Amino acid sequence: MANVAVVGAQWGDEGKGKLVDWLSERADVVVRFQGGHNAGHTLVIDGVTYKLSLLPSGIVRPGKLSIIGNGVVIDPWALIAEIEKLSSQGVSVNRANLRIAGNATLILPLHGELDRIREEAAGAAKIGTTGRGIGPAYEDKVGRRAIRVNDLADLSILGPKIERLLAHHNALRRGLGQAEILAADLFKQLSEIAPKILIYSDAVWSLLDEVKREGKRILFEGAQGVLLDIDHGTYPYVTSSNTVAGQAAAGSGLGPSSIGYVLGIAKAYTTRVGSGPFPTEQENEVGEYIGQRGREFGTVTGRKRRCGWFDAVLVRQAIKTSGIHGIALTKLDVLDGLPEIKVCVGYSLDGKRIEQFPAAEEAQKRVEPIYENFEGWKDTTAGARSWAQLPAQAIKYVKYLEELIECPVALLSTSPEREDTILMRDPFED
């Protein structure tokens, strides 16, 4: 039985929350391994909608252990607010079902403020961040000046750490014309939040090693998508962490041999939030139709998502850079009723056909999609739970995508509801 890592195979927002929740029924432990509260997962269970940003999707399932790994950057105030929100919906969160890596980096108020100041100053060149401080927090982590969860356990040694951090940030703030941050103010904020966070702190790598030795199933949950990876995405319009499946090992403390199957999530079309290249974007009535049918608004920000046709080149590239074994195809029902569907099968760059997305930013701006047209279907796929319930033309579309992306479709999601899922291959048994 394989432990499974779930990653987005596009630019995020592919429906990972529902699929991870659905798969967590077969798992014992669900681990979030990168990103921060810039990523949102929406779960619809028995008519109740749960919106998660930091908490792993398995938190809504009784008897499952959820873990926030060391690869995640954690805003402690946002986390407590999320826990309280879930509590108001009847979901109890405590040490029995949630652990946080003690060596995870904290997002502080100064990080969010710096994020927003930079974006505003960038004008038309802005990256399109959520302004929640994820990038600046990762910068401090790499710069070895970050404050981590474990640092809150001994407030007597927190002062020098804050001074080291502020030596950097206050210099930045002076250069940006902003008031400096007082060390005493930050110390007070951290000392107040510390006891609320420390109750969940643990040596996650050791805990996961025990779980592995006991033969329990582990589900690794990624945020965003492979095309937003800091190395392999559409740089510089990317997130600040590695989103590929390899990060599941580094961001949790288990070695790569612990991951047996990588499941990539992809929509039957393509969406993107924020700035950056998007070859198949449809800034027309088709894009508007997809956006309205798919309810394409960000879980975290509420921003309208950019919509376009399925890009087989980008998904195939994501499959290769992330070692994806199978794809979970979501939102097939959004395409119901379209007389014609286009699929990007290659690009034209400066008059030449290419079969991969270039890494250079200027080249990315110049690529033009090469489409193949596919006949749509009139009957609905919404709520289908078996192949037999799908229109023949919809099945042909799925098979067509499998050939283009060179990867099998393991699961098919036909609505936001947990049970509206068609299983072709069980990742835990493959």
Side-chain angles (χ1 to χ4, degrees), residues 67 203-216 218 252-255 258:
I67 291 177
V204 159
W205 68 269
S206 179
L207 176 60
L208 285 172
D209 181 62
E210 291 177 20
V211 167
K212 177 185 173 184
R213 289 174 181 272
E214 291 169 1
K216 293 182 178 179
I218 305 171
S252 66
L254 276 183
S258 300

Side-chain angles (χ1 to χ4, degrees), residues 61-125:
R61 281 195 177 272
K64 309 296 180 180
L65 176 61
S66 290
I67 291 177
I68 300 176
N70 57 275
V72 179
V73 284
I74 302 170
D75 182 323
W77 296 274
L79 177 59
I80 295 304
E82 192 172 324
I83 290 172
E84 291 173 349
K85 172 63 175 176
L86 275 187
S87 178
S88 71
Q89 293 183 283
V91 178
S92 177
V93 180
N94 49 58
R95 188 172 171 82
N97 64 354
L98 176 66
R99 303 292 175 88
I100 300 173
N103 54 338
T105 292
L106 294 178
I107 299 176
L108 307 176
L110 57 85
H111 291 130
E113 191 174 352
L114 177 61
D115 204 356
R116 294 185 291 273
I117 291 169
R118 282 175 170 173
E119 279 288 88
E120 184 177 347

Side-chain angles (χ1 to χ4, degrees), residues 216-249:
K216 293 182 178 179
R217 288 173 166 177
I218 305 171
L219 184 62
F220 298 89
E221 176 184 10
Q224 290 103 11
V226 173
L227 301 180
L228 290 174
D229 186 274
I230 188 69
D231 291 305
H232 302 288
T234 50
Y235 191 91
Y237 301 98
V238 292
T239 193
S240 298
S241 61
N242 286 111
T243 58
V244 293
Q247 179 63 18

